[in-house]
Amino acid sequence: MTDHIKYSRERDALLLLDQRLLPAREEGFECRSVEDVVFALKVMVVRGAPAIGVTAAFGCYLAARRTLAETPADWRAVLSARLERIEAARPTAVNLSWAVREMRRVWDLNPDAGLEDLAGIWLARAMDIQAADIEMCRAMGRFGAAFIDHGDTVMTHCNAGALATAGYGTALGVIRGAVEEGKKIRVIANETRPFLQGARLTAWELKRDGIPVTVACDNACALLMHRGLVQKVVVGADRIAANGDTANKIGTFGVAVLAERFGVPFYVAAPVYTIDPETRTGRDIPIEERDPREVTHVGETRVVPDGVPVFNFAFDVTPAELITAIVTEKGALTPPYERSIAELFK
Amino acid sequence: MTDHIKYSRERDALLLLDQRLLPAREEGFECRSVEDVVFALKVMVVRGAPAIGVTAAFGCYLAARRTLAETPADWRAVLSARLERIEAARPTAVNLSWAVREMRRVWDLNPDAGLEDLAGIWLARAMDIQAADIEMCRAMGRFGAAFIDHGDTVMTHCNAGALATAGYGTALGVIRGAVEEGKKIRVIANETRPFLQGARLTAWELKRDGIPVTVACDNACALLMHRGLVQKVVVGADRIAANGDTANKIGTFGVAVLAERFGVPFYVAAPVYTIDPETRTGRDIPIEERDPREVTHVGETRVVPDGVPVFNFAFDVTPAELITAIVTEKGALTPPYERSIAELFK
């Protein structure tokens, strides 16, 4: 699964697999403008921190493609404003701002490039980021597989899979890595309300790969761990602070607390650029609140009475103390994370 | 709200509010036979341990009404078999078997009663049980309100409300009790996947009563408690063992673990007959597994890919050590529960 984010020269557009429609329908979503890309990010046509980063990189290229170059001063201002709009599409994942910053960095390296040249440079860079993401995931898979034993049942929350990255996955990359080593493992996918990425996406892509997966309501976690049905937990991350505190999909924190209670090792798998050394602790990570409709409705079915307010925080922060190891493409970090992360960035 | 389980002499039927359709539609479900009652219990037209008990009691009456009395030996056997079918409709809540046993006890007290007389005796007893349930809930509400402070936000899981009892509620009875004392409180209703009793039912009945309620995904619990947004947790119970271990809706155990971590007092509210002194510990409580479709679909929307298996345990068991107090209609029990429960049953 590596074709769910694809730039098509023929169509001069970014083609995304519309993840909102899975598992019922496999349909594409075509982005021809910055507005399309921002919309796709906001409503989660594509989601998952690394996939957001890759999409944003192609979005910057589209921004350049769609900007008119009549006067140099103007196009620079217009393009810069468009990059800001892409960067603001979602607040929590650091990968989004990383990708846009990376494009700005490349721009700074080529200050005299004309608009068309810059577009060409950005397209090449976006494709590099995409290819590098898959390589990073495969490396994470190799490092992470060492923590997974033959016969394990591994619980995961949300979708940190091929669909959340350029392909292969972070948490699911670790699972794929273990499977590629010949370990027989099973996966429990927490359904992950409200957007149901576990039920809809993790189950869909693992089934496609023939990896045994069972879906559980998020509520079943304590019972499943208490019965000894879970040997490991592996999740992805949207942002990791300098002390190891990890923002990930809402509910991850609760899973980590339960994992500690039941003695189940809890691993985070994320590329190094998910770690933001500028973010000191989890308290400094902004938590996105999303459209109440994600909670009040499932499909067309209203499940909350009209007029009743809801909470819809999209992420929570798991404190570093609950994390057994953080698996990156450079190897696994272990506590104390202040030190192991500082060393990584030296 | 006391009319959602109502025996109608006119229609010679048990009229239930069909809770499967809330909050979208308020529609009745008419039980004219034992089969109707067993179906209503199994598919959760009516649910909630005390409400199940009351429904079962009226079901026994219907069983007698619909039995033919040509030969005494026959009707006794037929009726007894029907009572067994009612008792087997759901396994976890002790209230169901309690209600059927109570009807058998009354039958034993009137061994020579004809079928019609027995039916009359049972109808009167069912109505007594219903009225007593409301009284018990009000008493629980008074005892439990002592634990709730002015200004609290109280989290509850599932629906232990009017709809789960003959009226007023157990956990929501405690909340109503606090409100009736003039305390200004707010409620967070966990949506309670998979059947969404919190989102659909708790929010519906609290909104009707003008008690401020916000719905949260079950996944939000750790974040909400971490932010200090929850001062108390109150839940109901389906069965309480002699040591205080408490079976309740799946997910309750996880909420209790989080409550302990964040120093939030965790209360169980349940009538004394929910305590089963014959059940030594939580390990002896059978946990119902329900139709996978409750997890794979929400309304007509399929959320799990076809062919992927799911877990659907309906209950979990919260260990006594995580429970601050058990509020009953006789007062509040406190740890050690072996002792306080044993004293209650002396």
Side-chain angles (χ1 to χ4, degrees):
Chain A
M1 263 282 330
T2 56
D3 54 354
H4 70 104
I5 306 171
K6 194 164 67 182
Y7 180 70
S8 160
R9 280 176 204 270
E10 255 166 55
R11 304 192 57 83
D12 189 21
L14 180 63
L15 307 181
L16 303 172
L17 175 64
D18 192 337
Q19 300 189 25
R20 297 172 303 172
L21 307 178
L22 291 174
R25 299 203 305 281
E26 293 177 32
E27 271 179 36
F29 182 95
E30 187 170 306
C31 298
R32 295 191 49 80
S33 67
V34 174
E35 282 62 42
D36 291 348
V37 172
V38 169
F39 177 82
L41 291 170
K42 272 190 197 293
V43 305
M44 307 212 289
V45 168
V46 63
R47 25 62 53 202
I52 286 171
V54 172
T55 302
F58 282 111
C60 293
Y61 163 67
L62 269 186
R65 279 285 290 168
R66 298 287 179 274
T67 297
L68 300 173
E70 272 80 44
T71 63
D74 283 359
W75 74 253
R76 284 170 203 278
V78 168
L79 187 53
S80 194
R82 286 180 173 182
L83 262 52
E84 273 170 34
R85 283 225 303 293
I86 294 172
E87 197 172 355
R90 295 192 63 194
T92 301
V94 78
N95 315 56
L96 174 58
S97 55
W98 178 89
V100 176
R101 273 206 317 274
E102 177 62 13
M103 292 313 198
R104 287 193 192 277
R105 190 183 67 81
V106 169
W107 192 358
D108 288 345
L109 291 178
N110 298 276
D112 302 325
L115 181 54
E116 211 167 312
D117 289 345
L118 181 64
I121 292 167
W122 278 1
L123 178 58
R125 185 72 192 105
M127 285 177 159
D128 281 352
I129 289 174
Q130 185 172 34
D133 186 76
I134 293 173
E135 270 322 294
M136 285 190 291
C137 287
R138 290 194 171 273
M140 254 177 275
R142 285 189 297 272
F143 286 117
F147 295 112
I148 310 295
D149 293 312
H150 186 75
D152 276 354
T153 295
V154 181
M155 175 179 280
T156 188
H157 195 73
C158 197
N159 172 264
L163 290 169
T165 58
Y168 204 74
T170 54
L172 297 194
V174 169
I175 285 163
R176 288 191 169 94
V179 169
E180 284 173 19
E181 286 184 358
K183 291 170 182 166
K184 259 193 119 153
I185 59 176
R186 309 185 64 83
V187 176
I188 292 176
N190 292 342
E191 63 171 7
T192 319
R193 280 282 291 155
F195 209 65
L196 296 166
Q197 293 94 333
R200 296 190 301 107
L201 309 180
T202 295
W204 182 80
E205 63 168 271
L206 291 181
K207 181 171 187 254
R208 254 172 81 127
D209 279 8
I211 299 173
V213 57
T214 304
V215 170
C217 291
D218 307 305
N219 271 334
C221 183
L223 176 144
L224 295 172
M225 288 187 178
H226 179 68
R227 290 197 176 183
L229 298 177
V230 182
Q231 278 72 50
K232 308 283 159 55
V233 177
V234 188
V235 299
D238 289 80
R239 188 187 300 200
I240 301 174
N243 72 340
D245 290 352
T246 295
N248 191 47
K249 183 53 50 197
I250 189 82
T252 304
F253 187 4
V255 173
V257 169
L258 290 169
E260 185 194 44
R261 181 177 176 97
F262 295 107
V264 177
F266 182 94
Y267 301 102
V268 170
V272 168
Y273 80 135
T274 310
I275 305 172
D276 182 12
E278 307 293 305
T279 303
R280 227 169 47 78
T281 75
R283 276 191 304 277
D284 305 315
I285 302 177
I287 299 297
E288 177 180 9
E289 289 185 65
R290 294 183 54 81
D291 188 344
R293 198 188 152 94
E294 289 179 0
V295 177
T296 57
H297 290 70
V298 179
E300 291 309 308
T301 306
R302 175 175 263 286
V303 296
V304 175
D306 203 12
V308 171
V310 302
F311 291 113
N312 189 15
F313 297 101
F315 303 94
D316 58 24
V317 176
T318 299
E321 71 199 72
L322 298 176
I323 300 169
T324 310
I326 299 175
V327 178
T328 77
E329 74 277 19
K330 303 256 171 90
L333 306 174
T334 49
Y337 293 108
E338 270 102 347
R339 191 182 307 165
S340 49
I341 288 175
E343 268 165 28
L344 185 69
F345 281 89
K346 253 206 307 240
Chain B
M1 266 280 334
T2 57
D3 53 354
H4 70 105
I5 307 170
K6 193 164 70 181
Y7 180 71
S8 159
R9 280 178 204 269
E10 256 165 52
R11 305 192 55 84
D12 190 21
L14 180 63
L15 306 181
L16 303 172
L17 175 63
D18 192 338
Q19 299 189 27
R20 296 172 303 174
L21 307 178
L22 289 174
R25 299 202 306 281
E26 293 178 31
E27 271 180 35
F29 182 96
E30 187 170 307
C31 299
R32 295 192 49 80
S33 66
V34 174
E35 281 63 41
D36 292 346
V37 171
V38 169
F39 176 82
L41 290 169
K42 273 189 197 291
V43 303
M44 307 213 287
V45 169
V46 64
R47 27 58 55 201
I52 287 172
V54 171
T55 303
F58 282 111
C60 293
Y61 163 68
L62 269 185
R65 279 285 293 169
R66 298 289 178 271
T67 299
L68 299 172
E70 272 81 43
T71 63
D74 283 356
W75 74 253
R76 282 168 204 280
V78 168
L79 188 52
S80 194
R82 288 180 170 182
L83 261 52
E84 273 169 36
R85 282 224 305 292
I86 294 172
E87 197 171 353
R90 296 193 61 195
T92 302
V94 77
N95 315 56
L96 175 59
S97 55
W98 178 89
V100 176
R101 274 207 315 275
E102 177 62 14
M103 292 312 198
R104 287 193 193 277
R105 190 185 67 81
V106 169
W107 191 358
D108 288 345
L109 291 177
N110 298 275
D112 302 326
L115 181 54
E116 211 167 313
D117 288 345
L118 180 63
I121 291 166
W122 277 1
L123 179 57
R125 186 72 193 103
M127 286 176 156
D128 280 354
I129 289 173
Q130 184 171 36
D133 185 75
I134 294 174
E135 271 322 293
M136 284 190 291
C137 286
R138 290 193 170 274
M140 254 177 274
R142 284 189 298 272
F143 286 118
F147 295 112
I148 309 295
D149 293 312
H150 186 74
D152 276 355
T153 295
V154 182
M155 176 179 278
T156 187
H157 194 74
C158 196
N159 173 264
L163 291 168
T165 59
Y168 204 75
T170 55
L172 298 194
V174 169
I175 284 162
R176 289 192 169 92
V179 169
E180 284 174 19
E181 285 183 359
K183 292 170 183 165
K184 259 193 118 152
I185 60 175
R186 308 186 65 83
V187 176
I188 293 175
N190 291 342
E191 63 172 6
T192 319
R193 280 281 293 155
F195 209 63
L196 296 166
Q197 292 94 333
R200 297 190 301 107
L201 310 179
T202 295
W204 181 81
E205 65 168 273
L206 291 182
K207 181 170 186 255
R208 254 172 81 126
D209 280 9
I211 298 172
V213 58
T214 304
V215 170
C217 291
D218 307 306
N219 271 334
C221 184
L223 176 143
L224 296 172
M225 287 187 178
H226 179 67
R227 291 199 174 182
L229 299 177
V230 182
Q231 279 71 51
K232 308 282 158 58
V233 176
V234 187
V235 300
D238 289 80
R239 188 187 301 200
I240 300 173
N243 71 339
D245 290 352
T246 294
N248 191 46
K249 183 52 51 194
I250 188 83
T252 304
F253 186 5
V255 173
V257 169
L258 290 169
E260 185 194 46
R261 179 177 177 95
F262 295 107
V264 177
F266 182 95
Y267 301 101
V268 170
V272 168
Y273 80 136
T274 309
I275 304 171
D276 182 12
E278 307 293 306
T279 303
R280 227 168 47 78
T281 76
R283 277 192 302 278
D284 306 316
I285 301 177
I287 299 296
E288 177 180 8
E289 289 185 66
R290 294 184 56 80
D291 188 344
R293 197 187 151 94
E294 290 179 358
V295 176
T296 58
H297 290 70
V298 178
E300 292 309 308
T301 306
R302 173 175 266 286
V303 296
V304 175
D306 203 14
V308 171
V310 301
F311 291 112
N312 189 15
F313 297 100
F315 302 94
D316 60 23
V317 176
T318 300
E321 71 202 70
L322 298 176
I323 301 169
T324 311
I326 299 173
V327 177
T328 77
E329 75 278 18
K330 302 255 173 90
L333 306 174
T334 49
Y337 294 109
E338 270 103 346
R339 192 183 306 164
S340 51
I341 288 175
E343 267 165 29
L344 185 71
F345 281 91
K346 248 205 313 242

